[in-house]
């Protein structure tokens, strides 16, 4: 009996260490196999891993809803135009910002919140969290949260998107435990390199090829093509029967389902 008791005690004492060893810090660059004809992409094992830590990469693939998100690390003069389009079309969005953007463009950041949009944390220093310590990650997140709260009326930062889409199981677990919802995407463009841009029509066509019900759409705000395409994109998707909702709506529907 004593032997059995000692074994049980040993297992209890060792279990946290065993669990810690199971959390991998292998670095992944987020990506997926694109599908067409309004089919969602194939994420392979990324999907279950993200869901394990309460993250999102898309919504309900039977619901013709789009969740529009933007990543912004620096300003090249197109944000105001894009905010004007969103205001005119009454479309909500989430902007994942770096610390540099908030420091450099406080008035535009304030406008985002005043217009009803959400600001998410995209790392203050645009860090690769898989190469950072837990304390460095905590400090980086807090610095950016504080900047958002000091610059705008948004006093809670709920959503996080890893810089460059680089993550690991360890970083997913840590940010989840810190109270953030990791947000990835299921429709995107290679739209951060100015040299790779061709025309707003090409940007529009590339998005429409990939679009599917429940898509979380990622666009960057640093190209003229995206700025020019945004209005056409919203109109075309609405003509196809899609509606636009915010990430808050997506999370609410998951945890407070109706029907």
């Amino acid at each position: 009996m004593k032997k059995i008791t000692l074994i049980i005690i040993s297992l209890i004492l060792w279990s946290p260490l065993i669990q810690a060893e199971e959390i991998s810090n292998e670095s992944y660059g987020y990506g997926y196999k694109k599908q067409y004809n309004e089919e969602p992409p194939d994420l392979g094992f990324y999907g279950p891993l993200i869901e394990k830590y309460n993250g999102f990469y898309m919504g309900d693939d039977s619901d013709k809803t789009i969740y529009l998100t933007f990543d912004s690390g620096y300003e090249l003069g197109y944000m105001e135009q894009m905010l004007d389009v969103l205001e005119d079309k009454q479309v909500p969005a989430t902007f994942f910002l770096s610390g540099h953007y908030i420091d450099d463009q406080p008035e535009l950041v304030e406008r985002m919140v005043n217009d009803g949009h959400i600001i998410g944390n995209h790392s203050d220093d645009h860090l690769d969290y898989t190469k950072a310590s837990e304390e460095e990650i905590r400090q980086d997140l807090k610095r950016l949260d504080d900047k958002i709260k000091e610059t705008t009326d948004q006093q809670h930062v709920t959503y996080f998107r890893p810089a460059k889409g680089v993550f690991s199981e360890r970083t997913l677990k840590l940010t989840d435990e810190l109270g953030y919802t990791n947000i990835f995407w299921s429709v995107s463009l290679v739209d951060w390199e100015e040299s790779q841009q061709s025309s707003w029509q090409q940007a529009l066509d590339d998005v429409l090829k990939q679009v599917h019900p429940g898509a979380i759409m990622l666009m960057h705000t640093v190209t003229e093509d995206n700025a020019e395409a945004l209005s056409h994109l919203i109109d075309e998707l609405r003509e196809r029967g899609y509606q636009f909702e915010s990430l808050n709506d997506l999370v609410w529907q998951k945890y407070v389902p109706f029907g």
Side-chain angles (χ1 to χ4, degrees):
M1 184 68 181
K2 288 183 178 179
K3 187 175 182 180
I4 295 174
T5 302
L6 287 172
I7 292 172
I8 293 172
I9 291 172
S10 297
L11 288 172
I12 292 171
L13 292 174
W14 279 97
S15 62
L17 297 176
I18 294 170
Q19 183 178 19
E21 291 174 359
E22 292 176 349
I23 303 301
S24 171
N25 194 43
E26 182 178 354
S27 179
Y28 303 116
Y30 180 73
Y32 47 78
K33 182 179 179 181
K34 295 178 183 178
Q35 306 285 355
Y36 303 102
N37 300 315
E38 296 192 300
E39 293 294 326
D42 179 4
L43 270 73
F45 73 92
Y46 287 170
L49 183 59
I50 291 167
E51 292 171 357
K52 178 180 178 181
Y53 295 101
N54 303 304
F56 290 82
Y57 52 90
M58 59 179 285
D60 182 351
D61 63 4
S62 67
D63 179 11
K64 297 191 77 169
T65 298
I66 301 292
Y67 305 93
L68 193 57
T69 70
F70 297 90
D71 286 2
S72 303
Y74 52 92
E75 178 59 36
L76 287 181
Y78 304 113
M79 180 66 80
E80 188 171 9
Q81 178 182 349
M82 299 178 90
L83 287 172
D84 287 345
V85 170
L86 295 173
E87 182 179 23
D88 179 59
K89 303 293 184 181
Q90 292 296 290
V91 170
T94 300
F95 291 86
F96 289 93
L97 306 180
S98 69
H100 170 77
Y101 195 94
I102 296 175
D103 294 337
D104 186 54
Q105 300 292 331
E107 292 183 359
L108 285 173
V109 174
E110 185 177 20
R111 180 184 170 182
M112 292 171 194
V113 173
N114 290 342
D115 283 359
H117 304 301
I118 300 167
I119 297 178
N121 194 311
H122 196 39
S123 168
D124 185 51
D125 285 331
H126 211 247
L127 291 179
D128 177 350
Y129 279 7
T130 67
K131 297 178 180 178
S133 69
E134 180 174 331
E135 184 58 27
E136 288 172 331
I137 292 171
R138 288 174 180 270
Q139 291 179 2
D140 181 81
L141 288 165
K142 184 179 185 303
R143 281 197 305 272
L144 186 52
D145 285 359
D146 288 345
K147 289 178 182 180
I148 294 170
K149 295 172 186 177
E150 291 165 3
T151 306
T152 75
D153 290 333
Q154 180 178 312
Q155 294 304 301
H156 300 283
V157 184
T158 304
Y159 304 113
F160 172 73
R161 174 171 285 161
K164 299 181 180 179
V166 176
F167 70 101
S168 68
E169 182 170 5
R170 167 182 166 264
T171 65
L172 290 175
K173 181 176 184 292
L174 177 57
T175 48
D176 177 47
E177 290 175 344
L178 291 173
Y180 297 89
T181 299
N182 280 269
I183 300 293
F184 291 84
W185 58 92
S186 60
V187 173
S188 69
L189 297 173
V190 180
D191 58 1
W192 55 90
E193 293 286 351
E194 288 185 275
S195 61
Q196 296 186 28
Q197 307 308 304
S198 54
S199 69
W200 69 262
Q201 184 67 57
Q202 183 63 52
L204 175 64
D205 291 344
D206 286 346
V207 171
L208 293 176
K209 287 177 184 176
Q210 302 176 54
V211 75
H212 63 87
I216 295 178
M217 186 176 294
L218 164 61
M219 299 177 73
H220 290 78
T221 61
V222 294
T223 68
E224 183 179 3
D225 286 355
N226 280 1
E228 293 295 328
L230 184 58
S231 178
H232 301 282
L233 175 64
I234 293 169
D235 289 344
E236 178 64 27
L237 288 173
R238 281 176 166 161
E239 286 183 12
R240 297 186 181 194
Y242 285 89
Q243 62 179 346
F244 293 86
E245 292 185 354
S246 76
L247 291 181
N248 285 348
D249 296 315
L250 173 60
V251 174
W252 178 264
Q253 289 165 13
K254 177 176 179 179
Y255 293 109
V256 190
F258 295 92

